[in-house]
Amino acid sequence: MSEPVQTPQTFPTRIFSGIQPSGGLTLGNYLGALKRFVEKQDEGIETIYCLVDMHAITVWQDPIKLRQQTREAACGFIAAGIDPARSILFNQSQVTAHAELGWIFNCIARMGWMSRMTQFKDKAGKNSENVSLGLFAYPSLMAADIMAYKATHVPVGEDQKQHLELCRDIAMKFNNDYGVNFFPIVEPVIEGAATRVMSLRDGTSKMSKSDPSDQSRINLTDDADTIAKKIRKAKTDMDPLPDHVEGLKDRPEAKNLVNIYAALAGHTPAQVIKDYAGAQFGTFKPALADLAVAKLSPITTEMSRLMQDPAEIDRILGEGAARADAIARPILNDVYDIIGMIRSRQV
Ligand code: AMP
Ligand code: TRP
């Protein structure tokens, strides 16, 4: 039987991130996550991207829709530039290390830590007696997703910051409890102009696939007309754009549109303000709509082309899962050794 791993290790850079296939992908997912996943891949870093179907079922999912949305999200990744040969792309449920390590982390994480998670509080609302136990344990499974690969960097939107802090706490407690330097302490990568894309209807709430109003978001499956219409109708105030970014303070809707423009164009908000200082929304919105259509239409078109061949998507996901498993399984075996589980079936 192998002995627990005790030697200090250094951790090579490895990126992991995930998106829930719990609805269509939004512009928020694209700018806050997907676009940056592609940038990391193109920088030549090892990248592992996961459709977290087990996270999705922490709230009810219709099985037929879940399958459809998982394939659609996979197509969204590929259409946006994820190359399944260079990145590992798979769905979470197919690599059982996630669930196995998730359970172990449930025994590391403390009730108090979990109770402080704002996303749980937001999602559970007044209904906390009646939500699933999985929703409460969600961040611990998320930590397992990352640590099953000893990933060191996790690109996400702003809303995931607290979950990544919890992941660090879990990794540190595991290392401490067992006297090992086994898990890396992960670095959140929250960067760019659109780390928190807001609703088009309310500049103070996040653009989300679960918002009941479709007008509040741009979906990656929206056609050019719909995108343009939603942007034209986006809520704004009556003032022209300021001549300094500071002038966007206390103007959440205006700030959101400027940030979206900046992220789509690959500029900073300050550059956008320089170009559009004093512009009315009557001028700025059509410019933003044109830019959004130019950037998103090719992705939408490619997504619908890829969706024609579900068997090919499943094949790509399966291949990704096999590659992911090959990394995660030895790590999990080490974890079992560390914590004192007899690996009686090991070959
Ligand atoms: P989710 O759709 O909740 O699974 O989120 C997947 C990824 O997209 C995470 O990295 C989120 O932080 C990011 N994300 C989701 N919504 C937004 C948003 N409105 N703005 C920026 N990033 C977002
Ligand atoms: N919780 C993330 C979200 O809703 C999705 C997610 C699950 C994730 N596991 C992850 C993100 C691991 C980064 C790393 O946005």
Side-chain angles (χ1 to χ4, degrees), residues 126-149:
K126 292 192 182 70
N127 197 25
S128 65
E129 286 291 304
N130 205 25
V131 294
S132 75
L133 180 56
L135 190 68
F136 190 68
Y138 178 116
S140 149
L141 178 60
M142 175 164 163
D145 295 340
I146 301 164
M147 288 300 118
Y149 304 91

Side-chain angles (χ1 to χ4, degrees), residues 94-328:
Q94 299 310 295
V95 180
T96 55
H98 295 244
E100 294 173 57
L101 188 58
W103 179 257
I104 294 166
F105 283 177
N106 283 346
C107 302
I108 300 284
R110 304 290 96 181
M111 290 292 284
W113 302 356
M114 306 299 281
S115 310
R116 284 191 281 278
M117 293 294 115
T118 55
Q119 184 168 301
F120 174 76
K121 288 191 253 183
D122 290 349
K123 283 196 182 176
K126 292 192 182 70
N127 197 25
S128 65
E129 286 291 304
N130 205 25
V131 294
S132 75
L133 180 56
L135 190 68
F136 190 68
Y138 178 116
S140 149
L141 178 60
M142 175 164 163
D145 295 340
I146 301 164
M147 288 300 118
Y149 304 91
K150 295 190 179 177
T152 53
H153 294 79
V154 179
V156 281
E158 179 71 38
D159 60 337
Q160 295 303 311
K161 195 169 172 205
Q162 195 188 30
H163 286 163
L164 292 181
E165 277 157 15
L166 183 93
C167 175
R168 293 164 66 102
D169 289 342
I170 291 177
M172 271 188 267
K173 182 161 164 53
F174 180 97
N175 287 348
N176 261 323
D177 287 356
Y178 292 103
V180 290
N181 177 29
F182 185 73
F183 286 124
I185 308 306
V186 75
E187 285 295 333
V189 184
I190 303 171
E191 53 191 25
T195 56
R196 190 171 173 80
V197 177
M198 308 309 277
S199 156
L200 298 179
R201 301 264 105 212
D202 171 7
T204 60
S205 73
K206 191 185 72 163
M207 181 182 287
S208 155
K209 44 188 138 192
S210 56
D211 193 312
S213 162
D214 192 59
Q215 296 300 314
S216 71
R217 63 177 160 266
I218 291 174
N219 306 299
L220 286 195
T221 47
D222 285 345
D223 61 26
D225 268 2
T226 311
I227 295 174
K229 221 173 271 164
K230 284 179 176 174
I231 291 177
R232 274 203 309 275
K233 285 197 181 151
K235 183 178 167 205
T236 43
D237 52 39
M238 305 296 279
D239 295 336
L241 286 177
D243 52 13
H244 271 94
V245 266
E246 294 78 63
L248 292 169
K249 201 172 156 273
D250 304 323
R251 295 181 64 188
E253 283 86 13
K255 184 174 174 184
N256 188 37
L257 295 187
V258 168
N259 285 349
I260 292 174
Y261 190 107
L264 283 169
H267 293 158
T268 61
Q271 279 170 297
V272 178
I273 285 297
K274 206 165 134 251
D275 292 345
Y276 287 95
Q280 301 287 343
F281 284 107
T283 309
F284 184 66
K285 279 180 171 178
L288 175 58
D290 286 350
L291 176 66
V293 168
K295 295 285 180 184
L296 300 179
S297 282
I299 300 177
T300 313
T301 311
E302 178 62 0
M303 259 174 96
S304 38
R305 192 188 69 79
L306 292 167
M307 279 300 279
Q308 304 298 311
D309 192 353
E312 174 60 7
I313 302 160
D314 295 1
R315 191 196 62 75
I316 290 171
L317 291 177
E319 203 174 280
R323 287 162 62 204
D325 189 72
I327 300 173

Side-chain angles (χ1 to χ4, degrees), residues 15 17 37 40-41 47-50 77 82 87-90:
I15 289 201
S17 197
F37 296 175
K40 299 295 165 199
Q41 167 193 272
T47 41
I48 306 176
Y49 297 127
C50 185
F77 273 63
I82 296 298
S87 291
I88 295 180
L89 177 64
F90 69 107

